[in-house]
Amino acid sequence: MEQFIVSARKYRPQTFKDVVGQQAITNTLVNAIESNHLAQALLFTGPRGVGKTTCARILARKINQEGYDDPNEDFAFNVFELDAASNNSVDDIRNLIDQVRIPPQTGKYKVYIIDEVHMLSASAFNAFLKTLEEPPRHAIFILATTEKHKIIPTILSRCQIFDFKRITIADAAAYLAEVARSQGITYEEEALRIIAQKADGAMRDALSIFDRVVSYCGRNLTRQAVAENLNVLDFEYYIRITDLILAGNIPVLLLAFDDILAKGFDAHHFVSGIASHFRDLMVCKTPETVNLLDIGNEGRQQFSMQANRTSMGFLLQGIEIATDCELKYKASLNQRLLVELCLMQLASLVFEGEKKKISNS
C-alpha cells in the first residue's frame, strides 16, 4: 500500500507564486532579491499556518539558485532550521554562532531559519544580538514567530519585519478547489467555504481539514456532508431559525433550539451566530455593503430574500438582544433558559410601532 502524504505537505508551495494570500510579502521578497536589497536579518511574523516557514525555505532556495543550472537543487546543506521552542538556551545559540562562521560549500549563502523565536530565553536573545547585527556576508537569518510582542526591542530593531496576514476565506476556498481538482474530487463551492471558515485563516489547517472530510465524504464533497462531519452550524440553520423568529412561532423555535443542542452544538456559539447572521442580513440590504457578506452565490440569494423580509429596526434590536445574551451567558446559572428567553424576545420584537403577531403556523 502506497504511503499517504497529507495535503499540507504534498501541496506545500515550492515557489513564491504558489504561496496563498501573501502577495505583498512575496512580491517584496522577489524584488529585494532581484535588486540585491535583501536584508541579512528578516523577521516573519503572523498567525500559524499562513506560510512563514514555507516562504523562508523558498527564499533560502531562491537566493542560492543564481548561477546554478539544476532547477531541482534544493540547497539542503545551506539551510539550517532551529526550533527555538526546544532549543532555547544560551548554549544552543552559541553552537549556532559557531556554525555561522563557516562559509557554505555550495551556493552563496547559508540561511538560518529560527522558528518560534519568541521562545528563546532572555540570555539567549542577548547572546544572539551581536551576530544578528553584524553577521558574516554569507549568512542570512530568518526568524519566524506567532508572537512578535514577546521579542525584545533590540532584536526587532535589527530585523526587517514582514507581517503575514490571515488567509481570507475566498483565497483558502480557491486553493482548496485547485487541490480538489488535482485529486479528481467533485465539490460544492459552499463545502469548501465551510472548510475555509473552520480553518480560521490558516492554510495548513484548511488542508488538514480537507483531508479529514475527504476521508468521510469520499470523492464528492457536499455542503451538507461537510457541515455534518465538521459539526458546524452553517448558514441554513440560521436562515431557518430566523424564518421562525419572523413568523413569531415560539414553540417550533424552542424545538429547533433543542434539536441544535441535541446535535452537540454549543449554545453560546449559537447565540453568537444569530448576532452575526443578523449583521449579514443587514449588509445585504444595500448594494454598497453586500460585498461584506463572505459567502457563495447560492447562499447570497437566500440571504437577500430573507433580508427583504426584515426591517433595519428589527435587525438592530435583534443584534442588541443576541449580544446582551452572549455577554450574560458565562455568568448565568441557567444558560439554556437564558438562550430560550433570548429567542422568545426575538420572536416577540416590537418594530415599526406594532407588536409582531404570534403565529402558530
Side-chain angles (χ1 to χ4, degrees):
M1 186 171 127
E2 190 179 344
Q3 186 182 11
F4 172 70
I5 301 172
V6 294
S7 294
R9 279 182 57 203
K10 186 176 180 181
Y11 297 100
R12 174 168 246 168
Q14 298 302 309
T15 67
F16 282 129
K17 285 181 182 176
D18 301 332
V19 177
V20 180
Q22 309 293 350
Q23 282 79 9
I25 289 174
T26 55
N27 289 345
T28 304
L29 291 173
V30 168
N31 292 337
I33 294 167
E34 289 176 354
S35 60
N36 200 25
H37 272 194
L38 189 67
Q40 283 193 272
L42 310 172
L43 176 67
F44 290 175
T45 175
R48 71 182 195 283
V50 295
K52 299 186 297 295
T53 308
T54 295
C55 281
R57 290 176 181 172
I58 294 170
L59 179 66
R61 188 165 61 248
K62 192 168 178 63
I63 59 177
N64 279 306
Q65 272 177 342
E66 190 180 342
Y68 274 77
D69 297 327
D70 184 4
N72 297 317
E73 173 63 61
D74 61 359
F75 297 95
F77 293 110
N78 293 47
V79 183
F80 301 86
E81 290 195 42
L82 180 76
D83 178 21
S86 52
N87 301 279
N88 54 12
S89 69
V90 175
D91 288 338
D92 293 316
I93 292 300
R94 282 180 181 152
N95 289 337
L96 180 71
I97 292 167
D98 289 339
Q99 283 184 33
V100 169
R101 298 193 185 104
I102 305 165
Q105 301 301 304
T106 58
K108 290 174 66 178
Y109 297 100
K110 287 171 81 173
V111 181
Y112 295 86
I113 302 169
I114 305 179
D115 216 354
E116 304 298 339
V117 71
H118 65 273
M119 300 286 280
L120 287 178
S121 63
S123 50
F125 269 131
N126 290 327
F128 192 33
L129 276 175
K130 190 65 180 173
T131 304
L132 197 62
E133 187 172 28
E134 297 176 5
R137 292 184 66 177
H138 60 260
I140 288 181
F141 292 98
I142 304 176
L143 316 181
T145 180
T146 52
E147 301 185 54
K148 184 173 72 172
H149 61 278
K150 290 187 178 178
I151 299 175
I152 59 174
T154 44
I155 291 284
L156 293 176
S157 67
R158 287 162 169 80
C159 296
Q160 199 171 81
I161 300 171
F162 292 86
D163 285 294
F164 283 68
K165 61 182 181 180
R166 295 156 73 90
I167 311 294
T168 64
I169 291 173
D171 283 344
Y175 191 71
L176 290 173
E178 286 181 31
V179 172
R181 284 194 292 269
S182 72
Q183 295 184 13
I185 294 169
T186 57
Y187 59 87
E188 290 179 6
E189 185 186 339
E190 283 303 329
L192 298 184
R193 294 185 77 87
I194 289 172
I195 296 171
Q197 260 177 322
K198 186 80 171 176
D200 195 26
M203 197 66 239
R204 185 174 59 229
D205 290 4
L207 288 166
S208 299
I209 295 168
F210 176 80
D211 285 345
R212 172 178 148 193
V213 298
V214 167
S215 298
Y216 175 77
C217 302
R219 314 298 292 178
N220 182 27
L221 301 185
T222 63
R223 182 192 58 77
Q224 187 176 354
V226 170
E228 186 180 312
N229 180 247
L230 297 181
N231 203 30
V232 296
L233 283 168
D234 70 338
F235 69 86
E236 285 212 347
Y237 272 100
Y238 292 110
I239 293 276
R240 188 161 60 91
I241 290 291
T242 306
D243 280 341
L244 293 171
I245 288 170
L246 291 170
N249 197 336
I250 291 175
V252 178
L253 186 59
L254 295 180
L255 288 172
F257 175 55
D258 181 66
D259 181 53
I260 285 168
L261 292 179
K263 288 179 178 175
F265 293 113
D266 178 48
H268 195 192
H269 178 69
F270 167 69
V271 172
S272 172
I274 288 177
S276 297
H277 180 71
F278 283 179
R279 173 263 181 197
D280 290 342
L281 291 175
M282 197 178 288
V283 301
C284 275
K285 292 187 80 66
T286 53
E288 293 82 10
T289 57
V290 75
N291 287 332
L292 295 173
L293 187 65
D294 203 354
I295 201 165
N297 292 329
E298 181 193 340
R300 195 165 287 198
Q301 289 176 354
Q302 293 186 52
F303 270 88
S304 295
M305 287 170 60
Q306 193 167 72
N308 291 334
R309 295 167 49 215
T310 60
S311 72
M312 192 64 84
F314 166 77
L315 293 173
L316 283 169
Q317 280 186 276
I319 290 172
E320 194 176 331
I321 290 170
T323 304
D324 184 57
C325 176
E326 194 182 348
L327 290 171
K328 291 176 180 174
Y329 186 86
K330 284 191 176 176
S332 173
L333 296 175
N334 192 337
Q335 294 172 333
R336 176 170 182 151
L337 178 61
L338 182 72
V339 178
E340 287 177 339
L341 181 62
C342 168
L343 292 172
M344 287 186 273
Q345 285 176 316
L346 289 171
S348 307
L349 267 181
V350 176
F351 62 97
E352 296 175 352
E354 291 186 14
K355 193 174 192 306
K356 184 190 284 289
K357 291 180 181 177
I358 304 297
S359 168
N360 292 319
S361 58

